[in-house]
């Protein structure tokens, strides 16, 4: 595997750490490594005494920031195709399923929640996700267990840059259609399009197209690849 996730003890709890074993590793490799981790029942999931994610909805009531690739994935889900009748334009998807908050120059685009504070894609009766195979990156990459600093930094870098590209698309979409910006909540909005230049997510439609090397700072990349480089040298 190009990214390896493995369990380690962190402050007396079983958490996880990551290494990148191949400089060409992508965001999809990262997600696949985390998916493997869910099969390891020794990690300490602090919010669920049952120790498993299956059947648990405790993280579906939190802020879920989105990437542009998340939006593309959600549009491919059977659930969205059914409830939208195949309507796919970005403004409609953002208005119906997302929530756009602007505070001064900063923009946050997240999944919409219901009156109860839970995600709109949560089946309230069965407590299961309607879009599970297409759920956003934040849902795929969160575990309520300790993780190493570099694992947290990598997740943060992916989520932030992925969301930045969604904000750029949100700005472009309004400009292209000559419409006002779609905003659900605002406090003294001062959005400057120059704050959202193209980045490593630009033009990408799948997570396997985004290389981790392109979104990490040099120091984070050194830390993520250090162990694998050492093993290679020893080998
Ligand atoms: S990560 Fe989320 S779904 Fe999994 S056990 Fe923790 S709260 Fe529940
Ligand atoms: S998309 Fe699914 S997994 Fe993510 S918060 Fe919503 S219901 Fe939970």
């Amino acid at each position: 595997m190009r990214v390896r996730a493995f369990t380690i003890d962190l402050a007396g709890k079983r958490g996880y750490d990551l290494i990148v074993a191949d400089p060409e590793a992508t965001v999809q490799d990262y997600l696949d490594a985390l998916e493997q981790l869910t099969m390891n029942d020794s990690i300490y999931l602090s919010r669920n005494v049952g120790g498993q994610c299956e059947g648990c909805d405790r993280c579906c009531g939190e802020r879920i920031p989105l990437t542009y690739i998340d939006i593309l994935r959600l549009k491919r889900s059977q659930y969205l195709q059914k409830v939208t009748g195949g309507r796919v334009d970005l403004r409609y998807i953002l208005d119906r399923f997302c929530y756009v908050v602007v505070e001064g120059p900063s923009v946050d685009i997240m999944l919409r929640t219901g009156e109860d504070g839970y995600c709109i894609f949560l089946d309230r009766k069965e407590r299961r996700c309607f879009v599970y195979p297409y759920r956003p990156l934040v849902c795929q990459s969160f575990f309520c267990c300790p993780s190493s600093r570099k694992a947290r930094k990598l997740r943060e870098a992916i989520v932030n840059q992925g969301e930045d590209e969604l904000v750029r698309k949100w700005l472009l979409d309004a400009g292209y259609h000559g419409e006002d910006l779609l905003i659900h909540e605002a406090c003294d909005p001062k959005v400057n399009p120059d704050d959202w230049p193209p980045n490593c997510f630009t033009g990408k439609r799948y997570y396997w197209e985004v290389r981790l090397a392109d979104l990490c700072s040099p120091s984070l990349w050194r830390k993520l690849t250090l162990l694998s480089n050492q093993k290679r040298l020893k080998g």
Side-chain angles (χ1 to χ4, degrees):
M1 290 184 84
R2 301 204 287 188
V3 178
R4 293 191 201 123
F6 51 91
T7 60
I8 50 164
D9 278 332
L10 289 162
K13 305 265 168 42
R14 203 73 184 147
Y16 77 92
D17 195 5
L18 292 168
I19 56 166
V20 176
D22 184 327
E24 294 302 313
T26 66
V27 173
Q28 189 58 57
D29 292 314
Y30 162 76
L31 292 172
D32 290 345
L34 292 182
E35 176 78 23
Q36 289 287 318
L37 196 68
T38 60
M39 293 167 197
N40 188 323
D41 56 13
S42 70
I43 57 174
Y44 174 76
L45 294 169
S46 60
R47 294 192 202 163
N48 187 354
V49 283
Q52 279 192 340
C53 288
E54 194 175 346
C56 173
D57 62 8
R58 288 185 178 85
C59 49
C60 299
E62 302 201 344
R63 168 182 167 264
I64 309 287
L66 295 165
T67 71
Y68 183 60
I69 294 179
D70 286 337
I71 299 288
L72 296 176
R73 282 168 47 83
L74 284 168
K75 286 199 292 197
R76 291 182 208 121
S77 75
Q78 277 187 347
Y79 178 79
L80 244 77
Q81 289 185 8
K82 193 170 138 204
V83 299
T84 62
R87 218 178 139 182
V88 291
D89 54 289
L90 182 63
R91 192 179 179 94
Y92 170 77
I93 299 288
L94 290 179
D95 199 22
R96 182 159 175 196
F97 303 106
C98 308
Y99 198 72
V100 183
V101 179
V102 179
E103 278 186 25
S106 67
V107 182
D108 194 12
I109 304 181
M110 58 199 125
L111 271 187
R112 189 173 274 275
T113 55
E115 286 294 312
D116 56 4
Y118 279 89
C119 171
I120 48 159
F121 293 134
L122 181 70
D123 179 339
R124 301 302 195 270
K125 203 166 149 222
E126 301 291 335
R127 310 309 288 180
R128 288 186 183 276
C129 176
F130 283 129
V131 293
Y132 191 78
Y134 300 91
R135 67 200 186 288
L137 182 138
V138 161
C139 309
Q140 293 184 64
S141 60
F142 176 77
F143 299 103
C144 56
C145 71
S147 54
S148 69
R149 185 174 157 78
K150 66 179 185 290
R152 292 197 304 278
K153 286 279 165 202
L154 176 60
R155 183 172 184 262
E156 194 179 292
I158 298 170
V159 173
N160 287 347
Q161 291 175 57
E163 187 180 15
D164 284 352
E165 173 61 7
L166 176 57
V167 172
R168 199 181 73 85
K169 286 281 192 185
W170 163 79
L171 285 161
L172 283 176
D173 188 68
Y176 181 76
H177 292 105
E179 291 168 331
D180 291 339
L181 287 173
L182 173 75
I183 299 175
H184 297 111
E185 194 178 312
C187 175
D188 192 18
K190 289 183 186 128
V191 183
N192 179 359
D194 292 341
D195 291 343
W196 281 276
N199 68 16
C200 58
F201 277 82
T202 301
K204 309 288 166 57
R205 300 181 64 81
Y206 299 92
Y207 283 126
W208 49 261
E209 295 177 308
V210 185
R211 288 182 350 136
L212 295 177
D214 295 336
L215 54 79
C216 291
S217 65
S219 71
L220 176 58
W221 186 246
R222 259 195 312 277
K223 284 175 193 140
L224 285 165
T225 53
L226 187 63
L227 200 54
S228 54
N229 285 340
Q230 283 172 349
K231 279 186 182 158
R232 203 172 295 141
L233 287 175
K234 278 184 194 161

